[in-house]
């Protein structure tokens, strides 16, 4: 055998090893592609119903939000009506009720006074006025020292 023949045999052996290695790699790649295809198919089969369920849920939520919006609008209208009614009642009955209460208070006070109090007018304590302030009058010494004046 010559050196060229040995070199040819070595190249053929390495070529056979390389082809075998590439065949194993291609077989595993084909297996991986088949598994990926199955996985994509399963995901697609599961995703389509999930998307339709999500779409139905979103539509249901929108319907509920529309109902809540209608209820909130009705509550706002009822609140404004109640406020208007309260204002009307207060303006209609408030003034006369205050006048009746004041009249009743005055009658009770007049009835509870003793005859000697009714004759003598009440005196207000004197106050000294300073611009911007009001200062009470000085206290009676007998009241301050326990009545021993």
């Amino acid at each position: 055998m010559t050196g060229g023949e040995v070199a040819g045999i070595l190249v053929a052996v390495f070529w056979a090893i390389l082809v075998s290695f590439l065949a194993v790699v291609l077989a595993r790649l084909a297996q991986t592609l088949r598994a990926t295809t199955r996985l994509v198919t399963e995901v697609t089969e599961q995703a389509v119903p999930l998307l339709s369920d999500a779409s139905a849920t979103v539509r249901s939520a929108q319907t509920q939000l529309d109902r809540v919006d209608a209820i909130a609008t009705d509550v706002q209208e009822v609140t404004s009506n109640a406020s208007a009614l309260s204002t009307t009642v207060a303006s209609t009955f408030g003034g006369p009720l205050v006048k009746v209460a004041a009249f009743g208070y005055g009658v009770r006070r007049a009835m509870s006074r003793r005859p000697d109090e009714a004759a003598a007018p009440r005196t207000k304590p004197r106050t000294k006025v300073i611009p911007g302030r009001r200062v009470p009058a000085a206290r009676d010494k007998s009241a301050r020292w326990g009545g021993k004046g």
Side-chain angles (χ1 to χ4, degrees), residues 68-140:
V68 167
D69 187 38
I71 290 170
T73 302
D74 291 343
V75 167
Q76 183 179 9
E77 186 176 327
V78 167
T79 302
S80 65
N81 288 344
S83 176
L85 179 65
S86 171
T87 303
T88 302
V89 167
S91 66
T92 303
F93 296 112
L97 284 177
V98 168
K99 290 177 184 177
V100 167
F103 178 75
Y105 175 75
V107 169
R108 269 185 285 144
R109 188 159 169 102
M111 297 299 276
S112 68
R113 276 195 171 175
R114 289 185 236 136
D116 57 343
E117 284 182 1
R122 289 183 66 153
T123 59
K124 287 186 177 180
R126 291 184 56 188
T127 57
K128 185 174 184 182
V129 177
I130 299 174
R133 295 187 82 184
R134 186 175 184 154
V135 180
R139 294 184 182 174
D140 187 15

Side-chain angles (χ1 to χ4, degrees), residues 3-69:
E5 292 175 345
V6 171
I9 291 176
L10 285 176
V11 167
V13 169
F14 284 124
W15 183 255
I17 292 172
L18 179 65
V19 168
S20 299
F21 177 74
L22 287 177
V24 169
V25 168
L26 286 176
R28 293 213 175 166
L29 181 63
Q31 190 179 24
T32 304
L33 285 175
R34 271 186 256 123
T36 305
T37 303
R38 265 187 268 126
L39 181 66
V40 167
T41 304
E42 290 173 5
V43 166
T44 303
E45 289 173 356
Q46 292 176 1
V48 170
L50 286 176
L51 288 175
S52 65
D53 289 346
S55 177
T57 303
V58 167
R59 279 193 296 274
S60 174
Q62 181 62 38
T63 303
Q64 295 299 325
L65 284 174
D66 291 340
R67 288 180 185 168
V68 167
D69 187 38

